[in-house]
Amino acid sequence: AALSAWLIIREYTSEYCFRALHKSEDDKPIATGTIRHRMQKLLAQSRLQGRGYSPHSLRHTFATELLNGGIHLHVLKDLMGHTTLSQTLMYAQLSNQTIRDSYYKAMENIEKQRALYKEVADELSGRI
């Protein structure tokens, strides 16, 4: 919701959600150093400095939340701007619940498939 509001009220058009602040620069993304500096300043103002928050930790959170939310790994790779899935996997951590849910869903699919095979085999054996 906050991002949607920001995109509506910003006073410029850009392909980047957050572009460089200097109007003299063409349409370029905001520099990573600027992001880091602003985040440190905001963390200090909110008394959250020293707790491990950084722009990089936000990338990890972004990847982890989306992966646990069910996004396809290839889509996440593209959103992260990675060239390989192994890069993306270094950022995202599956929760135990996601692992458990995935396992049970896969086992349910396997059981359905086995039941279908048995049904077909039983039908075929009755014709012989």
Side-chain angles (χ1 to χ4, degrees), residues 54-119:
S54 68
H56 194 75
S57 70
L58 292 178
R59 282 181 61 82
H60 282 275
T61 301
F62 174 78
T64 297
E65 291 293 325
L66 285 175
L67 188 60
N68 285 303
I71 197 168
H72 192 280
L73 191 56
H74 286 86
V75 174
L76 181 58
K77 176 187 80 72
D78 290 344
L79 289 173
M80 298 288 293
H82 294 154
T83 55
T84 65
L85 289 175
S86 61
Q87 287 175 300
T88 305
L89 288 172
M90 291 187 325
Y91 277 85
Q93 301 295 318
L94 286 173
S95 70
N96 288 338
Q97 186 63 46
T98 299
I99 293 168
R100 189 174 13 262
D101 291 348
S102 295
Y103 169 78
Y104 286 125
K105 184 173 182 170
M107 289 306 295
E108 182 180 317
N109 290 338
I110 289 169
E111 291 300 324
K112 284 179 185 176
Q113 195 172 26
R114 284 184 181 168
L116 179 63
Y117 291 155
K118 185 178 181 330
E119 185 180 314

